Structures are given as C-alpha cells and as structure tokens.
Amino acid sequence: MIELRVNGAVHRLDIDPDMPLLWAIRDHIGLTGTKFGCGIAQCGACTVHIDGQPVRSCSLPVSAVAGQAITTIEAAEGPVAKAVQAAWTALDVPQCGYCQSGQVMTTIALLEANRKPSDADIDAALSGNLCRCATYARIRTAVHTAAKALA
Amino acid sequence: MLAKMMTRLANAAPSRRSFMIGSAAAAGGLAVGFRSAEAAGGATGGVTPFNAYMRIAPDSSVTVIAAHMDMGQGIYDGIATLVAEELDADWSQMKAIGGAGNPKLYGNAAWGGAIQGTGGSTGTTSSWERYRIAGAAARQMLVAAAAAEWRVPAAEIRVAKGLISHASGRSAGFGELAAKAAALRAPASVTLKDPKDWVLIGNDKLRRLDSMAKSSGRMDYTIDVKLPGMLTAVPIHPPLFGATLTSFDAAKAKAIKGVVDVVQHPRGLAVVAVDMWSALKGREAVTAVWDDSKAENRSSADLAREYRALALKPGLAVARNEGNAEAAIAGAARTIEATFEFPYIAHAALEPLNAVVRRNADGTIDIWGGHQMPDIYQGTAAAIAGVPPSQVTMHVMKTGGSFGRRAVIDADVIVEAVAVAKAIDFRAPVKLQWTREDDMRAGRYRPAYVHRLKAGVDRDGRIVGWYNHIVGQSIVAGTPFAAGLVKNGVDMTSVEGANNLPYRFAAQKVDLTTTQTGVPVLWWRAVGSTHTAYAVEVFLDEVAALTGKDPYEYRMSLLDPASKHARVLKLAAEKAGWGSALPAGRFRGIALAESFDTEVAQVVEIAMRPDGSFKVERVVCAVHCGVAVNPDNIRAQMEGGIGFGLGAVMKSQTTLDKGRVVETNFDSHEVLRFDEMPVVEVHIMPSTDVPTGVGEPGVPPIGPAVANAVFAATKRRLHVLPFARVENA
Ligand code: FES
Ligand code: FES
C-alpha cells in the first residue's frame, strides 16, 4: 500500500512502488489534467507541485513521494493561480492546450517564489516545458501580465 | 496547392446546389443544418440532431457541430464565429463540438465534399459558406417564431447579442423560442450579412471558447477518456520498418501484476493491462522474434548518398517545364548551383497517438480519437470489427497537436485499437496509447529529400533559366489519394512550393525523382513547402547575391507588383524596416512562400553570438489569407508556425542507423524550446477574398529567412538541414 496525499486528500493505493506518480494520479486517482508527453522529464507536460516545487511526475516513483503534499492542476488555487489563469485566457495562450497544464503549474511555482521575474528568470523556469504549438511568446507575455496583476 | 489538388478527388461529391437547408426539433431546441438528397435518402424529412450544423438548446446555448477537427488551430472557434455572426448570437452563448464520420454532411467543401477531413489548411474555406448559411437560417426561423408569438411583422424584429426583441417591449432569448422555431419550415434560402455589418467576423476581442478549460486542466483529450472497466494497451512495433513477427513469448509479461493479455494485431503486438504502468512493464517483459529479411535496413547517410547521386541524373518525371531551362542555363553569362538535403522529421505532437474503442451491448462500436479523416477510419474500423460502417460512431476529440500526423491514411492507430479490442473479444473498452518512443520510432515522418538547383543569369542579373530537381519519397503513392494527387508520375505534395512559383523566370524546369524506401512517410505541417520553399528561397537569395542585388529588391523584380505575393513581401519588408541600419551583430533575412493559397512573407533578425552561434530575435510576418475571421487566431497560428518551423530547421531530425530510428524522444529529437522563441509581429493584409487557411502557411518561410540572415552574417550557406548537423559546422 502506498499512501499519496494529492490535493489535500489521502489515497491508499495498492500499486507498484515503482509506478511513476503521473500514472498513479491519472489512472488510479482519476485526475487527468496532468498530461503525458515524454515520460523522461523532457517536456514538462506532467508537472505537479510537491511542497510547492514544480516536479515532473512522469519520472518520480510513487515510493519516493509517499506522504508528501502533492498538488495537481485541478487544485491550483489561490491568488497566483487565479492571476496566471486570467492572464492565460486574456491572451488566449493555449492552442492545442496539451502542454498548458504543465506551463501553468510551472508558472505558478515561479511566481510563488519570485513575484517579479525577469525574462531570464522566465527562460530558466520554463525552458523545460515544451510547447509543440510554440505558444512561448504568449506565455512570456502572460507571465509578465500575471506578475503585474499580483504586484 | 494540396487543397486545389484535393478537389480532383471530388468527382463523386454532391454539388453545393444539392444541399438544402434543413431543420428539426432537437431536445427541446432547434437544430439547423443541410440535407443533401443523398443524406436524406431522397426523402424530404427534416435533419436529425446528428446531422445538424448547429443546435440551440432551451438554455439558449448554441452548439456548433464542426465538420473539422481541432488540433489547436482554432477551427472550432472559427466555425462558431461564422454561425454566431449570422445568428446574431452573443459570443458567450457559443459552444463547439466535433461532428463525425458523415461525409454527406461534413464532407470537406474545399476538397469537393467527397470525404470528411481536416488538412491542407482548408477548414475555414470549407466552412465559410455553409456555416454562415446555417446561422442565418436559424436566425430567420427564430424571428419567424417571435413574429407569430408576438403577432408583429417579422421585419420589425431585431436580433442582437442573443436577444430577440421588438419595439413593443417584447423580448426573448433564443432558448425560449427554439422549440417554436423548430416547428417551422426551414427557409429555402437566406441572405447573408453585408460585410460592413459584421460584428464578430474580424473582431479582435473574441477569445477562444476553450482557453480556460485548457488553462485549468479541464480539457479532455483522447488520453483522458475514461470508461467503466476500460483497459489500457501499448503496442509493440517491429524494430525495423517492414519487419514481420515470427514468434513471441508473453509468459513473463502475463505474470506481471495488472497485465491482462498480450495480443497480436496487423501491425505487431500489444500488451493489454489494467493501467498504463502495468502495460509498460508488461511490454518490457515480452520477447519477440522478427523477420527482418524484407525490412528497410539502410541508414540515413546511405539514403542521402543515393539521393544525391539521383539528383545529378535527369528526373524521372517533370513537374513544370517552360522554355528550355537547361539550354538557357548552359548558355548563361553566369551560373550557380546548389544541392540541399532535408531529413526525415517526426511530427512529435505533444499528445502521443491514441484511440479508445468500445463495443456496446447492441453490437455498435464507439471510437474516440483525434480523427482527422473520420469517415475513412470509420470504414477501416468497421471492416476489422466485421460490422457495417453505420454501426461505428466516431467521436472526434480535440487533440494535443497533430501537425498532419492524425491525418494518417492507413488509420494506423485505429487499426491497432480496434484489432486489440477485437482480440480480447471486445470484453472491455480499450484505450490504445502510444508512448513518445512509439510515436518517434514507428513513423510516420516528413520524407527526406534532396534538391538540386541550378540557375543561369544574364549580364544584367536576370534569371534566364531555373532548374530544380527534387528527389524523395511520395507521400500518397499507394494510397487512395494517389488518384487525385499523382499526375504523370508527379506527386503534387512532393513539388508544391517549387512548381508553382510566382517568380517570373525566362525558362524553368522542375524535375521529380520519386524514390522507394520502407520508411513510412506522411504530410507534415505545410507538407511539400516545408522543403521546397526552403530550397527555393535560399537559392534565390544566392542568385541575388551572385548578381550583387538586394535580396528583397531582387525578389520584387521577379514578381508581378499587383500580386498578393508582392504585396505581402512589401508589407513585411516595410514593417521590418528592411534596409535600415541594425545594431552591431544583428542581421536580417527575408523569405516569401505561398502554401494552400495563403501568401506569407517573413523578415527575421538574428543576433550573432561571439561563439558563432546565433539567436533569432525578431520575426516580422505578413500574411494574406482573405477575410480575417479571427485575427488574433491568425496571429497565433503564424506565431506557432514560426516556432514549429524554426525548431525543425535548427534541430529536428529523425535519422536511421541501419534502419533503426536513432531519435526516439525529446532528448535526442530536439524541438524549439522556450528561450529560443523570437518575438513575432504579425501583419494581416486587409482583404475581402474568401478566407484561406492559416494553420500551415506560417511554417515555410521561417527556415529560409533565418538561413538567409545567417548568410548575411557569415557568408555561409546552410544547405543541409537541420542547421545543427555537423556538415554545417
Ligand atoms: S511527461 Fe513528464 S516531462 Fe514529459
Ligand atoms: S498548446 Fe499545444 S503543445 Fe502547447
């Protein structure tokens, strides 16, 4: 039995301890906002927060995160999350949208830690999140917009 | 080009005139669409909600049923805009879903209507007339219902922002009158709005209907489909293209907890399990023996060598021939020649391929997927399942990208999903899910090509002869599309963007040599123009340099000044400040390409770094695409096309090592990342023409524009793609 704390709820799951957190969240907890893009920590589509830090859930076995506070896009709440999603929709950032859960989660973590990120800070935070639709320029603008709204 | 060619497929298609407006009651509301004589089986009955183009529900929400699949290009919003405009709906009441598997109703009008499909950047063109007519018809019926209800003349009734009103003070939302409107006869014809009265078409303030869902993890894709008892399957494909299964041992896999079965299907094997992780673990444990005797086992370097040798010979087919280009070049004052090499490239859409299949108790089958050609897949699925196509319902999901990959003609992922479900006797719904490695290793790819170009110029620098020999695989050979797209041995998708140049050359010849390999290929965002435009626009820059002319002025001298091509080129140059001084270390490049009847010109600015590498800092893009239905989405598609194309020319390739794919995930198959994205500025040429597509045409000019800037900076010509290849070092 593995005990996972996801979005404030405790789930006791009879799953392989090697199972990546991504598949536990998607297939066993039933939260599918977190996406699968590469499985090897190269695309960021699977980004969730563990104790507020953005992590790639595809590359973390559940045994390594048992008991820690995991937050998925479904529970992204609070002023920063609101500001980020407001900027994302005002600028129509998403195209296919498949990467955007990860982009939003990475951005929330960035802004929680740094309320006035420079372009270099944004590059550093988001270069691990691929967007095949190349919405990158709008994401950059949206991060600045959200930061301004929070100031 | 492709769009034009597709119309040749349309011989059997119903003509537009055979469409009649139809309406019906739908769940207490109103549904409006078209019925053709064929669709209605000759009967005069009303359409059903299934075949309607739009429905109005009692809560006043308006749902458009889109004939085209949305892979991120925003066609659902485009279609909703067309309906809402004529309906005088409020944007906030609009919704959009995918219509499926019924070419009689949703056939691509830009392809002549014979098949339902999304591709060739035709969605807006295909929808332009019929969805506006549907919206106008629904509006007229709502007005008639209001007139009857309120006993006032219809001419006195106003509709604006979703509210139907009369000077007497009466007013109603659409939902209140929808059921009454549904009881009326649909109008035989409607008058569409004068463009000066448009409030939504061309409105920059409209936001996409799905941005919030996509920004909050609430958008469901095929990977997110959940059905009771559903199992997950992952495929095992042969390690080499064309290898076949000899034997396999699944005992170890079946012993793994969660693995349900290991089954054979026409394309290999699949491990079926209770969840994705068990399926993946099971896959590791399967041992399979493959027969490689007929497999493709050449390396990319072998193919390039063969293609380069073929490029030196005359082509096997002729795609354009005007004047005597070869003689003109031979007799020219000066000549220039270059050979270009393009790799295979995976589409690498972020959502790996998948499909979900369920057989219902009554024997009917539901298939969820990113169906870019739903009625083709419906037929394929029906044949495998052994049921008539009418018993297969295709659910068109929005997809996490496609870039052409989901318009796969042989329906690969559908074949696998249905065959696997059948192999377990349909005892549970099956989600077949590819991993990234499957997606990059199992095909399909933009074909590899070699282009050899020659030009001759006279003493004044005018081009007297232009020759382009294209060597590479055909995308459509051996498919049902070949009949329409291959003419005199020329696959139009191999040569589009090379044999339809707007430039005036005294003589020109475009040759094609179609090669055979075992590597599965497919259209890849902007198709032929992804390589043809690169070779043409870089080579033309070289000719300009040879003659000492400015690359922009030189192109203009070859164009009809009144053409859309010349106008977008001029617009891009002006907005970019072409010819003005740049800061030290900055250089410009320019390129022009028309694809799918949309003209795009781009001027890039690169910044050279001390180590000789560079960053693309700014792209100024001018586009002519007819009426701009959703201007902000046009900008988004240009931005996206530029980023997609830039990553490809800089870094992306799929190489073969003795037939094996080398790059199997994003660590080695590199794509554009966040910090490499330039600032993009898009200028849309005002136009009253019928809208043309924007999903693909942003891609072709970026590569050559960047290469031309690199030449301006370094005098180096990048003839081998991607730029990251050592040959360019
Ligand atoms: S799926 Fe985890 S980083 Fe790509
Ligand atoms: S919006 Fe499509 S991958 Fe980012």
Side-chain angles (χ1 to χ4, degrees):
Chain A
M1 279 291 168
I2 298 273
E3 197 172 288
L4 290 179
R5 282 174 55 207
V6 177
N7 301 339
V10 175
H11 301 266
R12 274 179 205 87
L13 303 172
D14 178 18
I15 55 174
D16 179 0
D18 288 342
M19 181 184 291
L21 176 59
L22 170 67
W23 298 114
I25 291 171
R26 289 185 55 88
D27 287 353
H28 291 270
I29 300 177
L31 296 172
T32 52
T34 307
K35 301 302 187 209
F36 165 61
C38 69
I40 59 161
Q42 285 290 316
C43 78
C46 65
T47 305
V48 299
H49 295 170
I50 294 188
D51 296 324
Q53 293 302 308
V55 297
R56 311 300 187 218
S57 64
C58 69
S59 300
L60 272 178
V62 286
S63 57
V65 297
Q68 298 183 50
I70 298 158
T71 307
T72 70
I73 183 82
E74 286 86 352
E77 281 158 9
V80 172
K82 260 211 169 74
V84 169
Q85 286 168 339
W88 247 246
T89 50
L91 291 159
D92 266 354
V93 169
Q95 289 188 24
C96 83
Y98 194 79
C99 71
Q100 299 295 343
S101 294
Q103 308 281 4
V104 164
M105 291 302 278
T106 302
T107 301
I108 291 171
L110 167 67
L111 290 175
E112 291 285 10
N114 176 359
R115 285 299 165 100
K116 241 190 123 189
S118 64
D119 278 331
D121 296 337
I122 297 173
D123 282 347
L126 282 156
S127 285
N129 286 80
L130 290 181
C131 176
R132 288 296 285 143
C133 303
T135 62
Y136 300 125
R138 287 185 190 225
I139 292 174
R140 182 186 303 283
T141 311
V143 176
H144 287 305
T145 304
K148 271 196 209 98
L150 289 164
Chain B
M1 273 304 279
L2 181 59
K4 275 184 216 152
M5 301 308 155
M6 296 298 264
T7 60
R8 293 186 194 158
L9 290 170
N11 302 338
S15 76
R16 197 176 284 142
R17 249 180 302 272
S18 75
F19 283 117
M20 289 174 284
I21 301 167
S23 68
L30 168 67
V32 176
F34 290 96
R35 55 193 157 80
S36 63
E38 296 92 313
T44 51
V47 291
T48 69
F50 169 70
N51 61 23
Y53 284 179
M54 51 156 297
R55 296 173 207 153
I56 300 173
D59 68 358
S60 286
S61 63
V62 179
T63 302
V64 300
I65 299 99
H68 300 281
M69 181 268 236
D70 203 320
M71 57 201 97
Q73 83 279 36
I75 190 63
Y76 280 18
D77 300 88
I79 290 175
T81 304
L82 302 180
V83 169
E85 179 67 70
E86 293 295 337
L87 187 58
D88 281 313
D90 192 74
W91 186 240
S92 64
Q93 71 195 111
M94 301 304 295
K95 296 179 184 173
I97 59 169
N102 192 336
K104 301 264 165 63
L105 292 156
Y106 302 121
N108 185 321
W111 296 348
I115 55 170
Q116 183 177 349
T118 306
S121 291
T122 54
T124 306
T125 313
S126 161
S127 306
W128 178 237
E129 193 173 34
R130 55 183 168 175
Y131 280 96
R132 284 187 302 149
I133 292 173
R139 182 189 188 281
Q140 201 165 313
M141 293 168 74
L142 289 167
V143 166
E149 182 82 358
W150 302 338
R151 300 174 190 284
V152 298
E156 289 178 8
I157 288 174
R158 265 176 50 85
V159 188
K161 290 195 172 178
L163 193 73
I164 306 164
S165 62
H166 182 257
S168 61
R170 310 279 314 246
S171 70
F174 293 171
E176 292 165 63
L177 290 166
K180 295 211 168 65
L184 303 174
R185 277 185 86 84
S189 68
V190 294
T191 308
L192 297 177
K193 279 186 184 175
D194 190 304
K196 72 173 169 26
D197 298 324
W198 287 339
V199 291
L200 297 175
I201 292 174
N203 186 330
D204 226 348
K205 297 211 176 69
L206 291 195
R207 294 292 79 142
R208 288 174 68 134
L209 299 169
D210 58 10
S211 278
M212 191 56 190
K214 287 175 173 173
S215 303
S216 57
R218 285 186 285 110
M219 183 82 238
D220 279 341
Y221 304 85
T222 306
I223 197 173
D224 305 320
V225 170
K226 289 177 222 142
L227 299 169
M230 184 178 76
L231 299 172
T232 300
V234 294
I236 300 175
H237 296 128
L240 295 179
F241 299 115
T244 50
L245 187 67
T246 305
S247 64
F248 69 101
D249 180 354
K252 281 205 192 91
K254 284 187 185 167
I256 290 172
K257 194 177 157 210
V259 173
V260 173
D261 210 343
V262 177
V263 300
Q264 221 179 319
H265 59 75
R267 297 172 39 85
L269 296 164
V271 180
V272 187
V274 295
D275 60 15
M276 184 71 174
W277 182 242
S278 308
L280 291 173
K281 282 187 77 171
R283 178 155 87 166
E284 293 304 313
V286 174
T287 49
V289 180
W290 305 89
D291 175 1
D292 288 351
S293 59
K294 293 202 184 70
E296 176 60 72
N297 60 10
R298 285 174 289 182
S299 297
S300 287
D302 302 332
L303 291 172
R305 236 185 340 265
E306 289 173 30
Y307 286 18
R308 282 177 180 270
L310 289 169
L312 292 170
K313 299 182 182 165
L316 296 181
V318 180
R320 183 165 181 174
N321 197 4
E322 278 156 28
N324 191 338
E326 278 156 314
I329 295 167
R334 276 185 294 176
T335 62
I336 180 169
E337 180 171 340
T339 303
F340 293 81
E341 192 181 313
F342 300 89
Y344 289 107
I345 313 183
H347 300 74
L350 203 55
E351 180 185 14
L353 286 188
N354 44 23
V356 179
V357 176
R358 179 181 69 192
R359 191 174 71 181
N360 305 306
D362 62 0
T364 60
I365 290 175
D366 286 287
I367 305 180
W368 290 260
H371 308 310
Q372 238 176 300
M373 297 181 171
D375 39 280
I376 292 179
Y377 306 160
Q378 185 181 38
T380 306
I384 294 171
V387 300
S390 60
Q391 292 201 20
V392 179
T393 301
M394 307 300 287
H395 301 272
V396 180
M397 304 296 289
K398 286 193 191 175
T399 63
S402 167
F403 315 118
R405 183 61 182 84
R406 295 221 185 223
V408 57
I409 304 164
D410 77 351
D412 49 17
V413 72
I414 305 296
V415 169
E416 290 181 6
V418 179
V420 169
K422 187 181 178 187
I424 61 160
D425 293 323
F426 293 103
R427 67 179 188 267
V430 172
K431 177 190 291 174
L432 182 99
Q433 179 64 54
W434 287 23
T435 60
R436 176 60 51 201
E437 288 79 9
D438 298 324
D439 180 82
M440 288 187 175
R441 201 158 34 199
R444 296 177 166 261
Y445 313 101
R446 195 280 308 273
Y449 291 94
V450 164
H451 289 226
R452 181 162 159 263
L453 287 98
K454 286 191 290 184
V457 295
D458 66 15
R459 273 174 226 300
D460 300 322
R462 276 189 298 257
I463 293 175
V464 295
W466 173 275
Y467 177 78
N468 187 358
H469 184 185
I470 299 168
V471 179
Q473 272 169 273
S474 165
I475 292 170
V476 301
T479 77
F481 287 78
L485 290 171
V486 180
K487 291 287 169 226
N488 301 320
V490 177
D491 176 342
M492 291 299 157
T493 71
S494 300
V495 299
E496 59 182 359
N499 75 334
N500 58 333
L501 293 179
Y503 301 118
R504 292 177 295 205
F505 303 136
Q508 63 172 310
K509 186 165 188 232
V510 179
D511 273 358
L512 175 67
T513 295
T514 296
T515 58
Q516 310 286 337
T517 85
V519 184
V521 295
L522 191 60
W523 16 65
W524 184 96
R525 194 175 187 178
V527 197
S529 296
T530 63
H531 53 100
T532 55
Y534 185 90
V536 164
E537 288 292 307
V538 170
F539 190 63
L540 194 55
D541 233 63
E542 295 182 39
V543 178
L546 176 74
T547 64
K549 303 247 167 69
D550 173 85
Y552 163 67
E553 300 292 347
Y554 194 66
R555 282 178 176 78
M556 286 304 270
S557 74
L558 293 168
L559 293 169
D560 170 357
S563 66
K564 293 172 204 166
H565 303 83
R567 284 157 55 215
V568 293
L569 189 64
K570 186 154 177 274
L571 182 62
E574 277 172 10
K575 296 290 182 183
W578 184 264
S580 66
L582 281 165
R586 291 244 183 172
F587 300 88
R588 286 194 190 98
I590 191 166
L592 163 71
E594 176 255 296
S595 53
F596 311 110
D597 292 326
T598 294
E599 294 78 18
V600 181
Q602 291 167 8
V603 174
V604 307
E605 255 175 63
I606 63 168
M608 294 304 296
R609 299 192 187 104
D611 66 358
S613 68
F614 63 90
K615 163 142 204 268
V616 181
E617 295 285 354
R618 179 180 180 224
V619 181
V620 176
C621 173
V623 51
H624 180 283
C625 55
V627 171
V629 176
N630 298 129
D632 192 55
N633 189 53
I634 294 169
R635 284 194 286 274
Q637 288 308 303
M638 291 300 122
E639 293 161 13
I642 286 165
F644 187 85
L646 180 59
V649 296
M650 301 278 294
K651 312 194 274 190
S652 304
Q653 58 179 337
T654 298
T655 54
L656 304 174
D657 178 19
K658 299 197 175 66
R660 261 168 227 271
V661 172
V662 176
E663 298 83 4
T664 62
N665 207 319
F666 288 119
D667 51 350
S668 46
H669 184 104
E670 293 186 67
V671 297
L672 196 80
R673 287 191 180 268
F674 191 92
D675 55 342
E676 298 162 321
M677 183 74 191
V679 171
V680 177
E681 196 183 303
V682 179
H683 300 276
I684 303 167
M685 181 85 74
S687 173
T688 53
D689 294 355
V690 170
T692 53
V694 293
E696 300 171 87
V699 176
I702 185 65
V706 172
N708 293 340
V710 171
F711 173 76
T714 65
K715 301 293 163 230
R716 243 177 341 120
R717 287 295 182 185
L718 297 167
H719 288 159
V720 179
L721 292 181
F723 299 163
R725 287 263 294 267
V726 285
E727 290 89 331
N728 296 316

